[in-house]
Amino acid sequence: MIKSIIKYIKEVLGGLKSLLKGMRVTGYYISHPKEIITQQYPENKDTLKMFDRFRGEVILLHDENNEHRCTGCTACEVACPNGSIEIISERVLNPETGKKKKEIDKFIYHLSMCTMCNLCIESCPTDAIKMGRNFEHAVFDRSLLTSVLNRPGSKLAPGVED
Amino acid sequence: MSTEVVNEIKEQEYFINMGPQHPSTHGVLRLLLSLDGEIIKNVEPHLGYIHRSIEKMCEKDTYKMIVHLTDRMDYLSCHMNNEAVCLAVEKGIELEVSDRVKVIRTIMSELTRLSSHQLWWGVMGMDLGAITSFLYGFRDREMIIDIFEETCGARLTMNYNVPGGVMFDIPNNFQKRVKEFIIYFKKKLPEYDDLLSNNVIFKARTEGVGILSKEDAISYGVTGPSGRASGFSCDIRKQHPYSAYDRVDFKEILYSEGDCFARYKARIDEMWESMFIIEQLIDNIPEGSARETTRAVIKLPKGEFYQKVETARGEFGVYIISDGKKSPYRLKFRSPGFSTLNALNTMAKGSKIADLVAIMSTIDLVIPDIDR
Ligand code: SF4
Ligand code: SF4
């Protein structure tokens, strides 16, 4: 009888001790605010920098002369697992050589279907596309997620051959 | 009411749906419970709420595309899933990857295992009513996720392994960051014990609850930490070493009790072992190419290829039947969660509904892995 009472009291005290141990951990963090790692997004937007490799969206690179490097070879379109890229190209007469040459008309990108898998970037022979670091894609209408990546009036950079 | 009617009502089982929208099922899993009062008589899982027919989709995809679909099955061990597909494809095209790739893959897999167990620990505490642990688990996981983000460019669905190697070489400060993490986490893991493992309420709710015998574990095919907590030695890393597991020294965690607490302890101990494995590898990553060149469209020869790996939840297998084309004729995934879920009825029979929550969290289900 006495034994069981002692065992019971021991259990209660042991349980209390284990609870206090847990409370000690919590107490430590209350008294050490430096250990808190929470980031205040979006307040820290100006200082928030994503890593270089972060995959947020596919972008078509343009240089300062509004020239891109996409030849319209559709390698990325084929490599994409879910049809997020559509290339519409046309044959344009080159006045210098007098030959017809393929040029992209529209580089359509459906962000809503893209899984950010990086396969299109890898397949591009001319490094025309890249993963962008923007991750704030929320919009009110789904159709806004489809965009034409080549800027109006942009041309193929000279010297890029497929 | 006459006594007959009352007796009949007393004898009747009654049914209750747990899920598909229930916070403790961690996803859209529906359990049909038949109850006698609060005692569970039978648990019947109903699947299909997030079926995406990934296996069928694989039949039209090239082998490079298949890798990124496996991210979407067990998203907490996506790196190991990727690795399994890559190893199977490499088997098919008889490509031997460099030592550098093997070591990088092993380190990444162990980091994934750590992050998965950290998340599980946090969520397990929350299921049993301790929100604090959820925040602590996520705090430590964040460091690993940052390493992944810097290395792979993504935080959850990494798609880092490709047939022939890894997509990018590791960044310059990868080793530094991983070492920092190991030092940090070695200090923080004992906190987990203080907060939860030794907590009297937690122990009362897990010890002796949901016992799975070794025989049942084997016959249901319960693998991973859940199987090893029942004494079933099933660690693929030990028994069929792949990547760099044959050159590291680690213990296979085995418990014999088979209850919730044993499964809990098995995972906590596995975290220590994972850190031990990473420590052995991180300082001597061999030089070499991070990626062998493969053909743009990989074609596997006719035949069958199987590769299994140890994910954070158990044995994950990829079985490819190829007819020589650019996509498989048939592809089958053996996912650990599916087998583990089958044993739920055996574990939960005769216990209370509240215990079912504890059992569910200790077998660590990821629903997209079961329902793919
Ligand atoms: S990142 Fe992947 S899904 Fe997105 S467009 Fe490129 S290939 Fe397609
Ligand atoms: S692979 Fe490159 S060059 Fe070819 S269409 Fe795509 S972006 Fe243009």
Side-chain angles (χ1 to χ4, degrees):
Chain A
M1 179 64 190
I2 300 264
K3 255 188 192 163
S4 69
I5 290 176
I6 289 176
K7 191 168 162 259
Y8 179 74
I9 290 175
K10 260 190 184 164
E11 269 178 19
V12 170
L13 288 180
L16 274 177
K17 202 178 145 210
S18 78
L19 291 180
L20 286 175
K21 246 187 179 174
M23 291 302 280
R24 199 182 63 198
V25 177
T26 322
Y28 173 80
Y29 287 104
I30 289 179
S31 56
H32 290 74
K34 271 209 184 112
E35 299 258 355
I36 296 171
I37 57 150
T38 318
Q39 291 186 15
Q40 298 297 336
Y41 178 83
E43 283 83 1
N44 68 346
K45 230 174 177 174
D46 300 329
T47 51
L48 183 70
K49 197 175 165 295
M50 305 307 284
F51 291 109
D52 287 342
R53 287 179 186 175
F54 182 75
R55 309 204 287 255
E57 60 179 340
V58 174
I59 49 175
L60 184 67
L61 295 169
H62 287 78
D63 62 9
E64 59 278 5
N65 305 330
N66 205 11
E67 285 169 345
H68 57 75
R69 300 173 59 84
C70 174
T71 58
C73 69
T74 69
C76 52
E77 191 179 345
V78 176
C80 181
N82 40 41
S84 308
I85 296 177
E86 271 176 68
I87 310 266
I88 300 173
S89 53
E90 53 188 3
R91 294 203 158 266
V92 185
L93 191 74
N94 189 334
E96 283 170 30
T97 54
K99 275 187 202 148
K100 276 196 173 173
K101 202 165 176 293
K102 202 175 179 188
E103 253 181 43
I104 53 165
D105 182 23
K106 274 184 187 151
F107 188 116
I108 303 171
Y109 171 53
H110 303 277
L111 177 67
S112 51
M113 293 200 283
C114 178
T115 54
M116 315 298 167
C117 67
N118 209 40
L119 291 178
C120 52
I121 317 291
E122 296 209 313
S123 69
C124 179
T126 55
D127 293 333
I129 40 178
K130 199 182 142 231
M131 275 305 194
R133 277 183 276 171
N134 178 23
F135 60 92
E136 292 162 325
H137 294 310
V139 283
F140 282 106
D141 187 8
R142 199 167 71 170
S143 64
L144 297 173
L145 292 172
T146 298
S147 52
V148 176
L149 291 190
N150 53 328
R151 294 198 194 133
S154 63
K155 276 207 300 290
L156 179 66
V160 180
E161 295 293 331
D162 55 335
Chain B
M1 258 189 281
S2 71
T3 35
E4 276 164 40
V5 177
V6 171
N7 280 341
E8 200 180 313
I9 291 173
K10 268 188 184 166
E11 277 165 21
Q12 267 178 0
E13 289 182 356
Y14 81 100
F15 294 94
I16 193 168
N17 270 313
M18 191 164 161
Q21 302 293 339
H22 191 280
S24 84
T25 57
H26 300 188
V28 274
L29 174 69
R30 175 178 158 218
L31 297 175
L32 189 60
L33 315 178
S34 53
L35 302 169
D36 174 14
E38 220 190 319
I39 312 284
I40 294 167
K41 294 186 105 176
N42 197 31
V43 185
E44 201 180 309
H46 283 243
L47 299 177
Y49 292 91
I50 44 163
H51 188 76
R52 293 144 296 165
S53 65
I54 286 186
E55 286 175 11
K56 192 72 193 166
M57 267 150 80
C58 290
E59 288 173 21
K60 71 152 193 33
D61 281 355
T62 64
Y63 291 103
K64 280 187 182 173
M65 295 176 187
I66 289 173
V67 177
H68 96 293
L69 286 176
T70 58
D71 282 342
R72 275 127 190 113
M73 290 163 43
D74 183 354
Y75 45 80
L76 293 179
S77 3
C78 57
H79 203 85
M80 292 89 130
N81 295 358
N82 290 175
E83 193 176 355
V85 178
C86 292
L87 288 170
V89 173
E90 281 156 17
K91 243 185 208 172
I93 53 176
E94 288 170 0
L95 181 81
E96 176 77 22
V97 293
S98 67
D99 275 0
R100 186 180 178 82
V101 174
K102 285 183 183 168
V103 170
I104 294 175
R105 279 182 179 173
T106 310
I107 294 174
M108 295 303 260
S109 294
E110 288 312 312
L111 284 174
T112 317
R113 193 183 317 280
L114 274 169
S115 76
S116 167
H117 285 350
Q118 283 165 348
L119 188 135
W120 156 81
W121 180 81
V123 172
M124 159 117 206
M126 201 172 69
D127 282 347
L128 298 183
I131 291 181
T132 322
S133 70
F134 182 72
L135 302 172
Y136 283 60
F138 265 74
R139 174 197 65 188
D140 300 338
R141 182 170 175 265
E142 188 61 27
M143 278 190 91
I144 300 185
I145 299 291
D146 271 350
I147 296 173
F148 285 156
E149 193 181 336
E150 192 177 10
T151 314
C152 325
R155 295 169 66 83
L156 193 67
T157 50
M158 260 96 74
N159 192 27
Y160 183 55
N161 283 313
V162 288
V166 289
M167 198 170 258
F168 318 102
D169 205 349
I170 48 173
N172 293 332
N173 58 351
F174 177 77
Q175 276 149 306
K176 189 176 134 256
R177 285 185 83 118
V178 173
K179 274 189 237 167
E180 269 172 17
F181 166 73
I182 299 284
I183 294 169
Y184 166 85
F185 196 50
K186 277 202 168 154
K187 269 200 251 131
K188 298 294 177 190
L189 195 47
E191 269 181 13
Y192 287 25
D193 286 337
D194 283 350
L195 273 171
L196 219 54
S197 319
N198 299 327
N199 187 302
V200 56
I201 303 166
F202 178 78
K203 269 191 162 168
R205 287 202 58 185
T206 50
E207 269 175 341
V209 170
I211 294 175
L212 181 72
S213 68
K214 187 178 173 183
E215 288 69 33
D216 283 338
I218 293 173
S219 59
Y220 281 110
V222 179
T223 50
S226 317
R228 291 195 282 279
S230 303
F232 173 26
S233 163
C234 56
D235 199 330
I236 312 288
R237 298 174 290 170
K238 268 261 185 262
Q239 290 167 1
H240 304 276
Y242 54 94
S243 291
Y245 285 112
D246 47 358
R247 66 185 80 168
V248 288
D249 168 40
F250 65 101
K251 278 206 302 282
E252 180 175 3
I253 310 292
L254 281 177
Y255 280 85
S256 54
E257 293 89 346
D259 60 354
C260 285
F261 196 63
R263 288 193 281 274
Y264 172 87
K265 285 298 275 182
R267 289 203 172 82
I268 294 280
D269 291 353
E270 257 193 17
M271 289 204 238
W272 286 108
E273 288 305 312
S274 290
M275 284 198 277
F276 186 47
I277 295 173
I278 296 171
E279 272 183 335
Q280 290 170 51
L281 292 173
I282 192 69
D283 271 326
N284 33 33
I285 300 178
E287 293 298 317
S289 78
R291 189 172 182 178
E292 312 291 331
T293 42
T294 51
R295 296 170 54 167
V297 176
I298 297 171
K299 283 184 184 164
L300 253 59
K302 256 190 195 152
E304 299 172 11
F305 308 96
Y306 185 72
Q307 176 68 43
K308 51 186 172 179
V309 298
E310 177 81 19
T311 73
R313 272 156 208 81
E315 176 183 337
F316 176 79
V318 179
Y319 177 50
I320 300 175
I321 302 179
S322 166
D323 54 358
K325 300 216 180 74
K326 66 177 170 48
S327 22
Y329 172 73
R330 175 81 171 92
L331 193 142
K332 166 93 184 112
F333 294 116
R334 187 259 184 229
S335 66
F338 190 76
S339 313
T340 312
L341 181 65
N342 283 323
L344 184 63
N345 195 10
T346 318
M347 285 186 243
K349 228 179 235 174
S351 47
K352 303 252 166 59
I353 298 184
D355 292 340
L356 180 66
V357 176
I359 297 168
M360 291 262 295
S361 28
T362 48
I363 57 176
D364 195 11
L365 298 173
V366 165
I367 312 304
D369 181 37
I370 299 164
D371 211 1
R372 48 190 190 276

